[in-house]
Amino acid sequence: MKKQMWHKKLGRIIYSSRFYTGVLLLLMMIPGILFTKRVVRADEIDMVSDKEFQEILNNYRENQELLSEGEVLLTLNDCPLPYDRGENIWYVAQNPENRAWEGVLGLSERDAVLYLLDDGYLRKKEEVIREGHLFQAVIVKGEEYAQASIAVSGMPVVSIETKDTWQPVYPIEDIDNYVFNSELRCLGDITIFHANGNSGTYKALKDHAGSDYRIVKAKVSYHTRGNTSDNFEKKSYALKLTDEEGEGKKVNLFGLGESADWKLLAGAGDVTKVREKTAWQLWQEIADRQSLTSEGASAMEYCEVVLDGSYIGMYQVLKSPDKNTLNLETTDVLYKFLQAEMPLEADIQSSIDAAYPVCYPIRIRYPGQDTVSLDPAGYWEPLRQYLGAAYWHIDFERLYLLIDLENTMDYYLFLEATSAWDNACKNTYHIARRTKEGEVRMLTIPWDLNYTFGDEYTTEIELGKTRFNPDTTQLYTEPVIRQLFMNNTHGEEDILKSRWAAYRQDIFSDEHVLGLMRENMEYMQKTGAFERDSARWPMQNNDSDLTKIMEYERERLRFLDEYFG
């Protein structure tokens, strides 16, 4: 049967009486979206029955290379959609809260025709997304056809195509980059699709054309990241978005704020995928409440990722802390603590003598190495004072004067409420911030919150590097800080108790903490992403049942009521 036999007018389609003349069917005859240039015309798209679909397959010659070789691309708003070549699936991001389909669907080739199987799911957008329903499509070009499926995600979808690799080589004098930034870099293109409202805390951000459907394009440099997480088959990545010249390109993704540097966290160790997101939400709520200090480090959202033509699952997007995130002044210093082992005083002096911004396991992350080298003693001095009072020659009175008490209390309560196993004196940022009087105050903010709410690291390979510890009576704050409050020299313990009682009324109430967990799980499920990730990585043993973690947290909060009481 010839092509023209299937080239029907919209008026003859099964749902034609329900649509206005000239509208585009998006995915399955989606109303209200007009075609523009480079998109197939309205009379070149067709919905077909099972019988008609099969007759197309019988009367044209199959050539899947039309898709696998990229000869014909499915596009949204003129932008090629992410395509899993192995599974032969296109991924489309849509807002699950919006009943209307968003964006303009089309083909990259004007002489190709898209046929979509009428399977009754056209008006079931919410079910399509939640159930992970796959639409079936066939593309006809000339006398050939290719078949594919279309998956609809309720999350933002990130597509990365690698074009080249680059091995950075730094001289030993550039010690920070020499030690920490020598990973093999992959260079390529990144495209991020997200509809208005299809990320958890997404704020409506209109693109230049005024559309609520945003598509962000940039060049990207990326590499795998993490020590523990690098043991998992599902890798985490550090991304740097750039322009054509390789300079950092700051973009506001998912309402998280502008940055060029982002993390894609695999969440491979957490079977629920709610721990780190919930912990970040709680910390941000604490930070938002403080008016005199800037405690906010980052925020997190979920997305799905297609890397080099392969769907690699659901990820958590995190923005890296930087000068703008933390409102750092030129007199401030930002330190990152990588491990729990503290350097000795002689080690700090060696880094000062060499004008290094690194004294393992601590890095100066702000200002940069060029600035630090002009006055290394000055930039290391705040940390030297802090380590001296807290570790080398413990002096609680001196430590009390060096810390920001409000922040230290917040961090103390946060660690205990979230059971942050890996964040007492590592995976933290410390800010040396000068007061108006010129005195230095140290603030602490968290990083890498994957081991929380009962999860701990283990060397037992059969447990996948993560074990759940049901003991709700452990303490996670480093002993020197606990002792500082127990001494109660300046009434610190009394203030801490009062602060805990206040937070238990809202931020750390059972209803709020458990509610965040439920909301995050519901979001992952209603977007279809949780099931797709589970199918892609069965060895992760993803579990949507939150009973265990919620029972743990209820008991944990009850224990803390007794402890702080």
Side-chain angles (χ1 to χ4, degrees):
M1 186 177 296
K2 297 299 182 181
K3 170 181 174 182
Q4 55 266 28
M5 295 183 67
W6 298 105
H7 199 131
K8 301 179 179 179
K9 298 295 182 181
L10 288 179
R12 297 177 58 194
I13 301 175
I14 187 170
Y15 289 111
S16 61
S17 62
R18 304 178 185 178
F19 293 91
Y20 297 101
T21 303
V23 298
L24 165 67
L25 304 177
L26 176 56
L27 297 178
M28 295 290 247
M29 289 189 66
I30 299 163
I33 308 293
L34 295 178
F35 278 111
T36 58
K37 63 178 181 179
R38 293 186 58 232
V39 184
V40 292
R41 296 185 303 273
D43 61 353
E44 291 179 336
I45 192 169
D46 212 341
M47 288 185 64
V48 293
S49 65
D50 286 331
K51 179 180 179 181
E52 293 169 327
F53 196 90
Q54 189 59 48
E55 289 188 22
I56 294 175
L57 306 186
N58 293 337
N59 289 281
Y60 290 86
R61 183 174 67 256
E62 182 179 12
N63 180 11
Q64 286 299 129
E65 291 185 358
L66 292 175
L67 306 182
S68 62
E69 298 299 322
E71 185 174 339
V72 181
L73 306 173
L74 187 65
T75 64
L76 191 74
N77 291 358
D78 283 352
C79 187
L81 287 166
Y83 176 61
D84 185 317
R85 291 187 283 271
E87 297 297 325
N88 194 26
I89 299 175
W90 280 302
Y91 287 85
V92 180
Q94 291 285 301
N95 175 9
E97 303 295 335
N98 187 354
R99 295 184 63 183
W101 297 90
E102 299 144 305
V104 180
L105 188 72
L107 295 175
S108 60
E109 291 291 321
R110 289 195 61 83
D111 58 347
V113 183
L114 174 65
Y115 296 93
L116 299 171
L117 176 63
D118 174 18
D119 59 6
Y121 271 83
L122 169 61
R123 298 192 178 279
K124 299 178 181 180
K125 183 179 177 183
E126 183 178 347
E127 291 91 331
V128 165
I129 295 174
R130 178 180 284 273
E131 297 171 10
H133 175 76
L134 294 177
F135 289 111
Q136 301 304 311
V138 61
I139 290 85
V140 174
K141 182 181 179 183
E143 300 300 319
E144 298 179 328
Y145 78 87
Q147 285 184 266
S149 302
I150 301 174
V152 184
S153 172
M155 286 185 181
V157 177
V158 177
S159 175
I160 300 174
E161 288 288 341
T162 306
K163 304 298 184 182
D164 199 0
T165 58
W166 169 55
Q167 180 64 63
V169 178
Y170 299 101
I172 188 65
E173 292 78 17
D174 187 1
I175 188 67
D176 190 71
N177 282 318
Y178 180 83
V179 174
F180 295 103
N181 293 320
S182 58
E183 303 96 337
L184 179 69
R185 304 300 173 93
C186 298
L187 307 176
D189 299 314
I190 185 169
T191 308
I192 302 156
F193 299 80
H194 52 111
N196 179 21
N198 79 332
S199 57
T201 56
Y202 178 79
K203 300 172 183 176
L205 297 170
K206 296 181 183 295
D207 61 22
H208 295 300
S211 170
D212 284 339
Y213 197 105
R214 299 189 71 229
I215 300 178
V216 175
K217 297 181 183 179
K219 296 294 182 181
V220 66
S221 171
Y222 73 93
H223 60 86
T224 58
R225 69 169 298 276
N227 293 320
T228 302
S229 59
D230 203 40
N231 295 313
F232 295 107
E233 186 176 356
K234 184 184 180 185
K235 304 299 183 185
S236 294
Y237 299 94
L239 309 179
K240 184 177 183 66
L241 307 188
T242 70
D243 57 21
E244 294 289 340
E245 286 69 44
E247 297 297 321
K249 179 178 180 179
K250 292 186 177 182
V251 178
N252 188 335
L253 298 183
F254 318 145
L256 298 177
E258 285 194 345
S259 182
D261 297 309
W262 299 86
K263 311 300 180 188
L264 282 178
L265 306 184
D270 178 12
V271 297
T272 69
K273 303 297 185 288
V274 304
R275 283 178 167 84
E276 190 153 7
K277 173 72 182 295
T278 302
W280 274 117
Q281 287 172 303
L282 293 170
W283 178 255
Q284 193 60 51
E285 289 178 6
I286 292 172
D288 289 344
R289 186 163 294 186
Q290 310 315 323
S291 58
L292 300 180
T293 60
S294 178
E295 295 181 340
S298 191
M300 175 174 281
E301 282 300 345
Y302 295 105
C303 70
E304 295 189 80
V305 180
V306 177
L307 174 61
D308 292 332
S310 178
Y311 173 78
I312 59 172
M314 180 177 63
Y315 276 73
Q316 296 160 317
V317 181
L318 191 65
K319 183 178 67 171
S320 299
D322 57 23
K323 174 185 176 182
N324 296 325
T325 302
L326 300 170
N327 299 319
L328 298 178
E329 304 290 342
T330 55
T331 55
D332 297 336
V333 189
L334 178 64
Y335 307 94
K336 185 176 184 181
F337 284 42
L338 303 174
Q339 296 293 338
E341 300 83 10
M342 293 300 125
L344 301 176
E345 190 168 9
D347 299 327
I348 297 289
Q349 187 59 52
S350 295
S351 289
I352 292 174
D353 295 340
Y356 282 168
V358 177
C359 183
Y360 194 82
I362 299 174
R363 305 169 66 188
I364 294 179
R365 302 300 287 128
Y366 174 84
Q369 178 164 320
D370 291 343
T371 303
V372 171
S373 64
L374 299 177
D375 182 19
Y379 288 107
W380 279 111
E381 184 59 24
L383 187 72
R384 179 153 64 176
Q385 292 185 35
Y386 175 77
L387 294 178
Y391 300 101
W392 301 334
H393 318 286
I394 296 179
D395 183 339
F396 290 110
E397 188 62 28
R398 180 63 181 153
L399 181 59
Y400 175 80
L401 295 174
L402 284 171
I403 62 172
D404 181 294
L405 183 63
E406 187 177 67
N407 165 263
T408 303
M409 285 191 293
D410 283 346
Y411 198 69
Y412 188 160
L413 299 177
F414 172 77
L415 288 184
E416 300 300 355
T418 61
S419 302
W421 180 88
D422 210 22
N423 300 89
C425 46
K426 61 175 290 195
N427 288 328
T428 60
Y429 283 91
H430 283 62
I431 306 170
R433 179 162 280 150
R434 293 197 179 275
T435 66
K436 294 179 180 179
E437 294 75 24
E439 298 175 336
V440 173
R441 292 290 183 270
M442 296 293 290
L443 295 89
T444 307
I445 56 176
W447 187 245
D448 275 1
L449 293 168
N450 52 323
Y451 288 119
T452 48
F453 301 108
D455 268 6
E456 299 178 350
Y457 174 76
T458 178
T459 57
E460 300 174 55
I461 298 176
E462 64 272 16
L463 295 179
K465 300 296 184 180
T466 302
R467 69 179 176 191
F468 179 76
N469 185 349
D471 183 1
T472 59
T473 65
Q474 290 195 61
L475 297 177
Y476 296 91
T477 306
E478 53 188 316
V480 66
I481 298 298
R482 295 207 305 270
Q483 188 63 51
L484 173 70
F485 284 94
M486 290 170 67
N487 289 347
N488 205 27
T489 305
H490 303 277
E492 301 97 315
E493 188 175 53
D494 298 331
I495 301 173
L496 185 70
K497 290 167 62 175
S498 175
R499 202 175 189 85
W500 171 254
Y503 281 158
R504 278 289 276 151
Q505 299 304 308
D506 43 42
I507 294 178
F508 290 144
S509 70
D510 290 30
E511 294 78 10
H512 183 63
V513 177
L514 304 185
L516 289 177
M517 292 179 179
R518 282 191 291 265
E519 288 173 10
N520 289 328
M521 177 56 70
E522 169 60 21
Y523 175 68
M524 288 186 286
Q525 290 182 316
K526 77 177 182 181
T527 58
F530 193 86
E531 291 303 320
R532 274 189 294 273
D533 187 79
S534 301
R536 177 63 178 82
W537 303 102
M539 70 290 292
Q540 290 184 162
N541 299 314
N542 286 353
D543 188 358
S544 61
D545 185 355
L546 298 179
T547 302
K548 183 167 70 173
I549 184 176
M550 293 173 73
E551 288 179 349
Y552 170 92
E553 187 61 11
R554 286 191 191 96
E555 185 61 33
R556 175 68 179 171
L557 293 172
R558 282 196 292 269
F559 162 74
L560 292 176
D561 286 336
E562 297 176 4
Y563 175 75
F564 287 116

